[in-house]
mmCIF file of all heavy atoms in Angstrom:
data_model
loop_
_atom_site.group_PDB
_atom_site.id
_atom_site.type_symbol
_atom_site.label_atom_id
_atom_site.label_comp_id
_atom_site.label_asym_id
_atom_site.label_seq_id
_atom_site.Cartn_x
_atom_site.Cartn_y
_atom_site.Cartn_z
ATOM 1 N N LEU F 318 -6.903 19.369 -10.435
ATOM 2 C CA LEU F 318 -8.129 18.727 -10.167
ATOM 3 C C LEU F 318 -9.028 18.548 -11.421
ATOM 4 O O LEU F 318 -8.923 19.347 -12.324
ATOM 5 C CB LEU F 318 -8.955 19.493 -9.131
ATOM 6 C CG LEU F 318 -8.465 19.416 -7.686
ATOM 7 C CD1 LEU F 318 -9.093 20.578 -6.861
ATOM 8 C CD2 LEU F 318 -8.702 18.083 -7.094
ATOM 9 N N PRO F 319 -9.859 17.508 -11.486
ATOM 10 C CA PRO F 319 -10.896 17.438 -12.521
ATOM 11 C C PRO F 319 -11.767 18.691 -12.396
ATOM 12 O O PRO F 319 -11.928 19.235 -11.353
ATOM 13 C CB PRO F 319 -11.655 16.128 -12.127
ATOM 14 C CG PRO F 319 -10.752 15.434 -11.247
ATOM 15 C CD PRO F 319 -9.932 16.344 -10.477
ATOM 16 N N ALA F 320 -12.362 19.064 -13.464
ATOM 17 C CA ALA F 320 -13.228 20.254 -13.514
ATOM 18 C C ALA F 320 -14.398 20.099 -12.551
ATOM 19 O O ALA F 320 -14.856 21.117 -12.022
ATOM 20 C CB ALA F 320 -13.753 20.495 -14.967
ATOM 21 N N ASP F 321 -14.764 18.887 -12.257
ATOM 22 C CA ASP F 321 -15.878 18.654 -11.337
ATOM 23 C C ASP F 321 -15.636 19.254 -9.929
ATOM 24 O O ASP F 321 -16.562 19.669 -9.230
ATOM 25 C CB ASP F 321 -16.139 17.158 -11.135
ATOM 26 C CG ASP F 321 -16.111 16.331 -12.398
ATOM 27 O OD1 ASP F 321 -15.072 16.333 -13.053
ATOM 28 O OD2 ASP F 321 -17.112 15.721 -12.736
ATOM 29 N N PHE F 322 -14.372 19.392 -9.581
ATOM 30 C CA PHE F 322 -14.027 19.713 -8.161
ATOM 31 C C PHE F 322 -13.223 20.996 -8.017
ATOM 32 O O PHE F 322 -12.747 21.355 -7.029
ATOM 33 C CB PHE F 322 -13.270 18.562 -7.568
ATOM 34 C CG PHE F 322 -13.991 17.232 -7.665
ATOM 35 C CD1 PHE F 322 -13.336 16.174 -8.199
ATOM 36 C CD2 PHE F 322 -15.274 17.092 -7.210
ATOM 37 C CE1 PHE F 322 -13.962 14.930 -8.379
ATOM 38 C CE2 PHE F 322 -15.948 15.905 -7.343
ATOM 39 C CZ PHE F 322 -15.274 14.764 -7.964
ATOM 40 N N ARG F 323 -13.091 21.734 -9.114
ATOM 41 C CA ARG F 323 -12.440 23.048 -9.062
ATOM 42 C C ARG F 323 -13.256 24.121 -8.458
ATOM 43 O O ARG F 323 -14.530 24.138 -8.658
ATOM 44 C CB ARG F 323 -12.012 23.486 -10.512
ATOM 45 C CG ARG F 323 -11.011 22.558 -11.154
ATOM 46 C CD ARG F 323 -10.757 22.863 -12.608
ATOM 47 N NE ARG F 323 -10.096 21.780 -13.280
ATOM 48 C CZ ARG F 323 -10.110 21.561 -14.597
ATOM 49 N NH1 ARG F 323 -10.748 22.456 -15.384
ATOM 50 N NH2 ARG F 323 -9.448 20.512 -15.067
ATOM 51 N N SER F 324 -12.682 25.025 -7.712
ATOM 52 C CA SER F 324 -13.460 26.038 -7.045
ATOM 53 C C SER F 324 -13.530 27.287 -7.794
ATOM 54 O O SER F 324 -14.316 28.167 -7.546
ATOM 55 C CB SER F 324 -12.754 26.325 -5.638
ATOM 56 O OG SER F 324 -11.434 26.846 -5.866
ATOM 57 N N SER F 325 -12.600 27.479 -8.806
ATOM 58 C CA SER F 325 -12.602 28.727 -9.542
ATOM 59 C C SER F 325 -11.698 28.436 -10.815
ATOM 60 O O SER F 325 -11.227 27.309 -11.001
ATOM 61 C CB SER F 325 -12.005 29.838 -8.735
ATOM 62 O OG SER F 325 -10.601 29.694 -8.611
ATOM 63 N N THR F 326 -11.504 29.475 -11.573
ATOM 64 C CA THR F 326 -10.541 29.338 -12.738
ATOM 65 C C THR F 326 -9.168 29.747 -12.324
ATOM 66 O O THR F 326 -8.225 29.693 -13.242
ATOM 67 C CB THR F 326 -11.107 30.258 -13.829
ATOM 68 O OG1 THR F 326 -11.113 31.652 -13.371
ATOM 69 C CG2 THR F 326 -12.471 29.879 -14.357
ATOM 70 N N VAL F 327 -8.965 30.025 -11.134
ATOM 71 C CA VAL F 327 -7.554 30.368 -10.684
ATOM 72 C C VAL F 327 -6.826 29.095 -10.378
ATOM 73 O O VAL F 327 -7.163 28.379 -9.467
ATOM 74 C CB VAL F 327 -7.671 31.288 -9.453
ATOM 75 C CG1 VAL F 327 -6.221 31.613 -8.934
ATOM 76 C CG2 VAL F 327 -8.386 32.593 -9.663
ATOM 77 N N ALA F 328 -5.724 28.879 -11.106
ATOM 78 C CA ALA F 328 -5.042 27.579 -11.021
ATOM 79 C C ALA F 328 -4.502 27.308 -9.639
ATOM 80 O O ALA F 328 -4.514 26.074 -9.241
ATOM 81 C CB ALA F 328 -3.899 27.636 -12.048
ATOM 82 N N ALA F 329 -4.023 28.278 -8.978
ATOM 83 C CA ALA F 329 -3.363 28.055 -7.623
ATOM 84 C C ALA F 329 -4.330 27.901 -6.467
ATOM 85 O O ALA F 329 -3.912 27.487 -5.396
ATOM 86 C CB ALA F 329 -2.347 29.154 -7.315
ATOM 87 N N GLU F 330 -5.548 28.290 -6.677
ATOM 88 C CA GLU F 330 -6.526 28.142 -5.570
ATOM 89 C C GLU F 330 -6.894 26.681 -5.305
ATOM 90 O O GLU F 330 -6.854 25.868 -6.235
ATOM 91 C CB GLU F 330 -7.816 28.941 -5.828
ATOM 92 C CG GLU F 330 -7.557 30.474 -5.772
ATOM 93 C CD GLU F 330 -8.828 31.254 -6.014
ATOM 94 O OE1 GLU F 330 -9.875 30.672 -6.354
ATOM 95 O OE2 GLU F 330 -8.778 32.431 -5.804
ATOM 96 N N TYR F 331 -7.265 26.355 -4.064
ATOM 97 C CA TYR F 331 -7.662 25.051 -3.671
ATOM 98 C C TYR F 331 -9.092 24.721 -4.184
ATOM 99 O O TYR F 331 -9.986 25.525 -4.044
ATOM 100 C CB TYR F 331 -7.609 24.848 -2.173
ATOM 101 C CG TYR F 331 -6.205 24.790 -1.622
ATOM 102 C CD1 TYR F 331 -6.037 25.284 -0.316
ATOM 103 C CD2 TYR F 331 -5.186 24.294 -2.350
ATOM 104 C CE1 TYR F 331 -4.709 25.290 0.242
ATOM 105 C CE2 TYR F 331 -3.837 24.259 -1.765
ATOM 106 C CZ TYR F 331 -3.657 24.708 -0.469
ATOM 107 O OH TYR F 331 -2.394 24.654 -0.022
ATOM 108 N N GLY F 332 -9.268 23.503 -4.721
ATOM 109 C CA GLY F 332 -10.599 23.045 -4.975
ATOM 110 C C GLY F 332 -10.932 21.930 -3.947
ATOM 111 O O GLY F 332 -10.364 21.912 -2.868
ATOM 112 N N ASP F 333 -11.806 20.969 -4.334
ATOM 113 C CA ASP F 333 -12.355 20.005 -3.387
ATOM 114 C C ASP F 333 -11.598 18.667 -3.576
ATOM 115 O O ASP F 333 -12.111 17.750 -4.215
ATOM 116 C CB ASP F 333 -13.832 19.849 -3.588
ATOM 117 C CG ASP F 333 -14.481 19.067 -2.461
ATOM 118 O OD1 ASP F 333 -13.711 18.539 -1.653
ATOM 119 O OD2 ASP F 333 -15.746 19.072 -2.368
ATOM 120 N N LEU F 334 -10.393 18.623 -2.983
ATOM 121 C CA LEU F 334 -9.650 17.373 -3.020
ATOM 122 C C LEU F 334 -10.329 16.254 -2.310
ATOM 123 O O LEU F 334 -10.227 15.040 -2.686
ATOM 124 C CB LEU F 334 -8.294 17.627 -2.514
ATOM 125 C CG LEU F 334 -7.328 16.368 -2.512
ATOM 126 C CD1 LEU F 334 -7.172 15.793 -3.839
ATOM 127 C CD2 LEU F 334 -5.957 16.800 -1.879
ATOM 128 N N PHE F 335 -11.037 16.583 -1.245
ATOM 129 C CA PHE F 335 -11.862 15.563 -0.479
ATOM 130 C C PHE F 335 -12.760 14.793 -1.486
ATOM 131 O O PHE F 335 -12.850 13.622 -1.386
ATOM 132 C CB PHE F 335 -12.619 16.239 0.595
ATOM 133 C CG PHE F 335 -11.890 16.504 1.810
ATOM 134 C CD1 PHE F 335 -11.436 17.896 2.037
ATOM 135 C CD2 PHE F 335 -11.542 15.623 2.772
ATOM 136 C CE1 PHE F 335 -10.786 18.178 3.236
ATOM 137 C CE2 PHE F 335 -10.901 15.908 3.942
ATOM 138 C CZ PHE F 335 -10.450 17.216 4.155
ATOM 139 N N ALA F 336 -13.457 15.586 -2.297
ATOM 140 C CA ALA F 336 -14.410 14.943 -3.170
ATOM 141 C C ALA F 336 -13.768 14.142 -4.194
ATOM 142 O O ALA F 336 -14.236 13.015 -4.591
ATOM 143 C CB ALA F 336 -15.290 15.997 -3.825
ATOM 144 N N GLU F 337 -12.613 14.593 -4.707
ATOM 145 C CA GLU F 337 -11.891 13.756 -5.710
ATOM 146 C C GLU F 337 -11.431 12.468 -5.159
ATOM 147 O O GLU F 337 -11.551 11.351 -5.754
ATOM 148 C CB GLU F 337 -10.706 14.547 -6.303
ATOM 149 C CG GLU F 337 -10.051 13.770 -7.415
ATOM 150 C CD GLU F 337 -8.656 14.291 -7.846
ATOM 151 O OE1 GLU F 337 -7.905 14.890 -6.998
ATOM 152 O OE2 GLU F 337 -8.282 14.006 -8.993
ATOM 153 N N ILE F 338 -10.831 12.525 -3.921
ATOM 154 C CA ILE F 338 -10.384 11.241 -3.291
ATOM 155 C C ILE F 338 -11.530 10.346 -3.031
ATOM 156 O O ILE F 338 -11.374 9.159 -3.362
ATOM 157 C CB ILE F 338 -9.683 11.597 -1.960
ATOM 158 C CG1 ILE F 338 -8.307 12.255 -2.269
ATOM 159 C CG2 ILE F 338 -9.364 10.313 -1.196
ATOM 160 C CD1 ILE F 338 -7.604 12.825 -1.076
ATOM 161 N N ALA F 339 -12.667 10.817 -2.592
ATOM 162 C CA ALA F 339 -13.798 9.972 -2.329
ATOM 163 C C ALA F 339 -14.282 9.302 -3.616
ATOM 164 O O ALA F 339 -14.721 8.120 -3.628
ATOM 165 C CB ALA F 339 -14.949 10.802 -1.690
ATOM 166 N N THR F 340 -14.301 10.060 -4.706
ATOM 167 C CA THR F 340 -14.742 9.514 -5.988
ATOM 168 C C THR F 340 -13.867 8.356 -6.487
ATOM 169 O O THR F 340 -14.273 7.268 -6.930
ATOM 170 C CB THR F 340 -14.726 10.588 -7.084
ATOM 171 O OG1 THR F 340 -15.617 11.583 -6.655
ATOM 172 C CG2 THR F 340 -15.200 10.068 -8.381
ATOM 173 N N PHE F 341 -12.522 8.505 -6.309
ATOM 174 C CA PHE F 341 -11.546 7.486 -6.746
ATOM 175 C C PHE F 341 -11.610 6.316 -5.746
ATOM 176 O O PHE F 341 -11.381 5.181 -6.158
ATOM 177 C CB PHE F 341 -10.173 8.057 -6.887
ATOM 178 C CG PHE F 341 -9.919 8.715 -8.243
ATOM 179 C CD1 PHE F 341 -10.375 9.996 -8.423
ATOM 180 C CD2 PHE F 341 -9.236 8.057 -9.199
ATOM 181 C CE1 PHE F 341 -10.193 10.574 -9.669
ATOM 182 C CE2 PHE F 341 -9.076 8.663 -10.454
ATOM 183 C CZ PHE F 341 -9.555 9.910 -10.680
ATOM 184 N N ARG F 342 -11.848 6.570 -4.488
ATOM 185 C CA ARG F 342 -11.972 5.455 -3.576
ATOM 186 C C ARG F 342 -13.210 4.624 -3.898
ATOM 187 O O ARG F 342 -13.112 3.338 -3.776
ATOM 188 C CB ARG F 342 -12.073 5.952 -2.107
ATOM 189 C CG ARG F 342 -10.718 6.514 -1.615
ATOM 190 C CD ARG F 342 -10.671 6.581 -0.075
ATOM 191 N NE ARG F 342 -10.702 5.258 0.496
ATOM 192 C CZ ARG F 342 -10.536 4.960 1.787
ATOM 193 N NH1 ARG F 342 -10.378 5.968 2.665
ATOM 194 N NH2 ARG F 342 -10.605 3.729 2.238
ATOM 195 N N ALA F 343 -14.248 5.283 -4.355
ATOM 196 C CA ALA F 343 -15.484 4.500 -4.758
ATOM 197 C C ALA F 343 -15.170 3.616 -6.016
ATOM 198 O O ALA F 343 -15.845 2.616 -6.176
ATOM 199 C CB ALA F 343 -16.575 5.491 -5.051
ATOM 200 N N ALA F 344 -14.132 3.976 -6.748
ATOM 201 C CA ALA F 344 -13.721 3.167 -7.864
ATOM 202 C C ALA F 344 -12.912 1.992 -7.508
ATOM 203 O O ALA F 344 -12.515 1.148 -8.317
ATOM 204 C CB ALA F 344 -13.006 3.994 -8.904
#
Side-chain angles (χ1 to χ4, degrees):
L318 286 164
D321 314 63
F322 307 125
R323 296 170 194 160
S324 62
S325 71
T326 59
V327 179
E330 289 184 352
Y331 290 147
D333 194 349
L334 179 56
F335 281 99
E337 185 192 26
I338 292 174
T340 300
F341 277 79
R342 291 200 64 174

